[in-house]
Amino acid sequence: MKPVARCVVALTLVSGCALLAGCLSGSPSYFPYLLPAGDPALQTHARPPGPGYFDDFDPHACRLVVRPELCTAPVRGSQVFIATVYDADGTPRRKRRVEWMVEGPGSIVEVDESGYLPGRGMKVDNKYAFSYTDYFEHCITRGKEEFTIRPGQTWCLVTSAVEGETTVIAYCPAINDWEKNRVYAKMNWVEGNLLFPAPVTARAGGDYTLNTTITRAGDTTAGYRVRYRIIDGPAAALTATDGGEVASVTEAVTVFGNDGSGRVNITQPVPTAGTNRIGIEVVKPDPDRPGQFTVVSKSETRVTWKSPKLDVTVVAPKSVSVGQDATVTYTLAGTEKLDSGPVTLTAKLPEGIDLVRTEPKAAIDGDTVIWTLPRSAGGKQQSVRATVRPHQPGLYSLSADARSDDGVNGSGSVAVTAFAGKVTPSDSPAPKPKAVESTEPQLALTIHGPVRTNVGQTVTWQIVVQNHEEAASGKIEVKATLPAEISFVSASDGGKASGRQVVWNLGSAPAGQERTITLTGMCNNAVARTAVTATITAQPANRGNSKPWSPAKPSEAVIEIAGVPALQMSVKDSIDPVPVGQRTTYSVRVKNAGTQVAKAIVITAEVPSESLRATRATGPGQTGKISEDKDKRCFTVKFPTVDTLAPNAELTFVVEAEALVPGDVRVKFEARSASQSQPLRAEEPTRILGKENRPFDR
């Protein structure tokens, strides 16, 4: 090869290597630098120079995610933050720059510096660094810690020598949308080990103790508190076990005990399936602001309420002739083991259907049939039967509702069509519509839903449209009207809401077919009886008569909306610490933060007799009764029953006690109500000082 040709080849190779180096570096300003051969990393501009800065630099990168978003670690520990850059399809983007900034206590220890080129990541100082998302998967090991970085991800390691909250800001300049190119992650540093309660599952209508623990050297947990707050979910109440501050039914503050535990009870007043998200904050006294607290750490947990469910199945012929007897079978089964007694099964017969007999014998109350079924072990099925006879044609809904003595319920229904002619056995499973000479459409509309629910719950109704013609119907319009106590949430099949009315334009209905649409509403206010109504309007198809058709009266689904009583209790002592020979009083505040009257409220207390002597108990009515229980080694205090407590009303009870022996004691309180399945419990700690340790002595 000639020397000139060799030079051309060499220059081409060098240019190719330089171009490749610029591409691999991920640095827009890198080219045309040559291969670095070990030069230090370059702190380059985040976007390309020139007019291109004002363009959308990377139309593919559109979203930045950082994990974890909220976490806690001990002081002098470390935390790895992993950033991922995504495109619009959710695919991670490689070699995209991420800048890391730290605000508050803490410093950047290390960032992702993978690669051999100057455009790779680097730590600029303790508060700022940048890195690039990786091309390949890497396993990073630092001592005992190990984590995996996948393509499209990069990382940053942060530590702190003092307590406090650190904000880690991740910024991706390739994302042009300023609302999506920054993420703020929170890091809480704690002197010691802090363990938040894990998500749990509890029985609906019961209670559960949430416990946050902290372990510290030296002064342990003096002055530290933990605040719990219900963020969302079904109705529930928080109560501090040590009688700490309760701001509302959804928020409670408790102190850490000598064992490093900060506990609160969460109670569900009415059994309701669902999940409560609980926000948790650990706070400590602020030395610069007496009486104020600073947040040490934050977290979140979940309590999922589940309860045994009663499955009610109603089986009946789909069609029956007027005047013909039909057997309806009601089957009851529990999906889980029930810790309850008998179950009441209630079947409602619509107007137009008569009851002939029942098996076994049932109680009859007008159009309602009531069976009391014994407790069934292991969820075993139980069945009862009713023989009915329709006396006028129409489409009927046969419904049943079951309820146990501890509030577990269930419901079921079936639709039955009564014809004016004879229905043969072969027609019974799938009847064929009869030829109708009438010019009116032969349509039927029924609405089905639960017969009872609680305030704050969403309810879904099924609206069934049936066409009994031999030909398709004309255009169908269905209208549903919600009562004042229920607000609109959603509707299927394109239903549109206007005020309290929801309208569906369903087009035509095929011959002999049925269609089900749904309506969901939110129950806002308690009411003994209300109803959701539905009507249907249809244009005749291929007939001379163009007058729209609609039934004489609307179909309705009756429902009871029960209020929810929700008691909360807080306890506070007047003097703590209290010297021997002096007295302190415990004020017990009971509030009904629910939407229904709480009934038969009983407040009791246990005062340790070895350290305290209960001397007086006063309440809103008569004085409380004090007696000594030598087996439990305590004075028991019982206040007279309070018949009712209205929503948002509160009561105050006071127990006075004299300090006898130095030491730490806990006085226990309990509130029971006929409206709630589980009692509320609280404890108030008190320190008793000897005479030689009185804080007032000089």
Side-chain angles (χ1 to χ4, degrees):
M1 182 179 293
K2 295 182 179 181
V4 175
R6 292 191 183 97
C7 292
V8 172
V9 172
L11 289 173
T12 302
L13 291 174
V14 170
S15 300
C17 291
L19 178 61
L20 179 63
C23 295
L24 292 177
S25 70
S27 172
S29 61
Y30 179 79
F31 185 76
Y33 292 99
L34 300 179
L35 290 174
D39 287 347
L42 301 176
Q43 187 176 348
T44 59
H45 197 283
R47 287 195 172 197
Y53 179 88
F54 299 101
D55 295 335
D56 187 356
F57 178 36
D58 185 357
H60 299 292
C62 65
R63 183 166 59 97
L64 175 65
V65 174
V66 175
R67 294 289 184 268
E69 289 184 302
L70 176 64
C71 56
T72 300
V75 169
R76 293 174 293 279
S78 60
Q79 178 64 47
V80 175
F81 292 89
I82 298 177
T84 310
V85 180
Y86 292 97
D87 62 14
D89 297 326
T91 303
R93 304 297 298 180
R94 307 178 185 185
K95 215 60 180 176
R96 296 302 186 269
R97 179 184 176 115
V98 175
E99 300 186 12
W100 303 92
M101 290 153 275
V102 171
E103 292 183 355
S107 302
I108 296 175
V109 177
E110 185 181 1
V111 293
D112 188 352
E113 297 186 5
S114 58
Y116 298 95
L117 304 176
R120 66 185 187 270
M122 67 177 295
K123 171 184 171 182
V124 179
D125 55 39
N126 289 340
K127 298 292 185 180
Y128 174 79
F130 64 90
S131 59
Y132 291 87
T133 57
D134 285 350
Y135 269 102
F136 309 104
E137 182 173 309
H138 300 287
C139 183
I140 312 298
T141 302
R142 294 292 184 271
K144 296 181 180 179
E145 300 294 329
E146 183 177 291
F147 56 94
T148 300
I149 299 297
R150 294 178 171 83
Q153 294 183 334
T154 187
W155 57 275
C156 176
L157 183 67
V158 179
T159 189
S160 177
V162 296
E163 286 188 320
E165 183 179 73
T166 297
T167 301
V168 177
I169 306 171
Y171 164 60
C172 179
I175 300 176
N176 201 53
D177 188 342
W178 285 354
E179 299 297 325
K180 299 179 180 179
N181 62 11
R182 298 182 301 276
V183 174
Y184 299 84
K186 298 291 186 180
M187 181 72 207
N188 295 286
W189 304 99
V190 181
E191 187 70 58
N193 293 320
L194 186 62
L195 182 62
F196 290 100
V200 297
T201 299
R203 179 186 172 95
D207 61 0
Y208 185 82
T209 300
L210 298 168
N211 185 19
T212 299
T213 61
I214 185 171
T215 303
R216 290 168 50 86
D219 196 21
T220 63
T221 60
Y224 278 64
R225 300 184 180 183
V226 56
R227 179 185 297 116
Y228 297 84
R229 179 172 59 88
I230 299 177
I231 300 174
D232 54 25
L238 291 174
T239 303
T241 59
D242 65 349
E245 175 187 351
V246 178
S248 70
V249 71
T250 60
E251 185 172 325
V253 179
T254 184
V255 298
F256 284 100
N258 294 332
D259 60 351
S261 298
R263 299 181 176 90
V264 299
N265 287 339
I266 180 170
T267 305
Q268 196 178 47
V270 176
T272 307
T275 299
N276 288 117
R277 286 194 302 140
I278 314 295
I280 307 172
E281 289 183 344
V282 175
V283 299
K284 69 175 182 178
D286 189 336
D288 300 325
R289 297 180 300 167
Q292 301 295 316
F293 293 83
T294 58
V295 176
V296 173
S297 184
K298 298 179 182 179
S299 186
E300 185 177 301
T301 190
R302 298 180 303 278
V303 178
T304 300
W305 304 99
K306 290 186 178 181
S307 63
K309 180 183 177 182
L310 292 173
D311 280 342
V312 179
T313 304
V314 185
V315 178
K318 288 188 176 181
S319 60
V320 65
S321 294
V322 171
Q324 177 185 351
D325 289 355
T327 299
V328 184
T329 302
Y330 304 91
T331 302
L332 174 66
T335 57
E336 300 178 22
K337 182 180 178 181
L338 291 177
D339 298 325
S340 61
V343 176
T344 301
L345 179 63
T346 304
K348 190 173 182 63
L349 297 180
E351 183 179 353
I353 290 186
D354 298 326
L355 177 67
V356 179
R357 59 182 174 272
T358 62
E359 182 186 348
K361 188 176 181 179
I364 310 299
D365 182 11
D367 59 356
T368 303
V369 186
I370 305 171
W371 287 273
T372 300
L373 304 179
R375 176 177 178 176
S376 175
K380 184 179 179 180
Q381 291 187 353
Q382 300 183 78
S383 296
V384 296
R385 295 174 181 82
T387 302
V388 299
R389 181 185 302 153
H391 61 261
Q392 64 183 35
L395 179 63
Y396 300 99
S397 175
L398 301 179
S399 61
D401 178 67
R403 187 175 185 84
S404 68
D405 60 357
D406 64 348
V408 181
N409 55 35
S411 60
S413 64
V414 67
V416 175
T417 304
F419 290 95
K422 182 179 180 180
V423 179
T424 63
S426 60
D427 292 333
S428 182
K432 296 181 179 179
K434 296 174 57 179
V436 180
E437 297 179 357
S438 171
T439 60
E440 292 185 344
Q442 299 299 305
L443 297 174
L445 177 74
T446 57
I447 180 170
H448 311 273
V451 297
R452 189 178 188 275
T453 189
N454 297 317
V455 171
Q457 300 300 303
T458 58
V459 174
T460 298
W461 290 268
Q462 291 79 38
I463 302 173
V464 181
V465 178
Q466 290 182 314
N467 180 12
H468 298 303
E469 296 185 276
E470 292 182 339
S473 70
K475 292 183 178 180
I476 295 175
E477 181 183 76
V478 175
K479 293 183 179 179
T481 302
L482 293 168
E485 297 82 9
I486 302 174
S487 59
F488 174 78
V489 175
S490 64
S492 69
D493 299 82
K496 296 182 179 179
S498 177
R500 298 196 175 278
Q501 193 171 76
V502 184
V503 180
W504 291 265
N505 293 307
L506 301 180
S508 62
Q513 298 293 314
E514 72 174 37
R515 182 173 181 181
T516 301
I517 56 180
T518 61
L519 168 64
T520 301
M522 171 65 73
C523 300
N524 301 313
N525 300 310
V527 62
R529 186 185 188 279
T530 190
V532 178
T533 60
T535 61
I536 184 171
T537 303
Q539 295 288 345
N542 302 322
R543 296 181 177 88
N545 182 13
S546 61
K547 183 180 178 181
W549 172 89
S550 60
K553 63 179 182 179
S555 178
E556 68 174 19
V558 177
I559 187 171
E560 175 192 355
I561 304 175
V564 179
L567 293 181
Q568 61 141 101
M569 178 172 62
S570 61
V571 183
K572 187 69 176 177
D573 53 3
S574 60
I575 301 175
D576 189 1
V578 56
V580 169
Q582 291 197 11
R583 296 183 180 184
T584 185
T585 59
Y586 298 88
S587 298
V588 184
R589 183 169 66 96
V590 178
K591 181 179 180 181
N592 182 5
T595 57
Q596 187 184 49
V597 172
K599 299 180 180 179
I601 303 165
V602 178
I603 306 298
T604 59
E606 292 184 0
V607 181
S609 57
E610 294 180 343
S611 303
L612 294 168
R613 179 171 58 246
T615 57
R616 186 168 60 96
T618 59
Q622 299 178 0
T623 59
K625 181 180 179 181
I626 301 175
S627 59
E628 185 174 3
D629 189 331
K630 294 184 178 180
D631 293 335
K632 291 185 177 181
R633 297 180 180 179
C634 69
F635 290 97
T636 60
V637 181
K638 184 176 181 179
F639 290 92
T641 301
V642 178
D643 294 333
T644 60
L645 182 62
N648 294 320
E650 66 177 55
L651 303 171
T652 300
F653 303 84
V654 177
V655 175
E656 183 182 81
E658 180 184 355
L660 302 177
V661 179
D664 293 330
V665 297
R666 286 180 175 267
V667 181
K668 299 179 181 180
F669 297 87
E670 184 176 271
R672 290 184 175 270
S673 169
S675 305
Q676 297 187 182
S677 58
Q678 298 293 328
L680 297 178
R681 296 184 177 91
E683 295 182 4
E684 177 65 12
T686 302
R687 174 168 292 183
I688 301 175
L689 300 178
K691 294 183 179 180
E692 67 279 5
N693 295 325
R694 289 186 181 183
F696 313 105
D697 293 343
R698 299 295 182 184

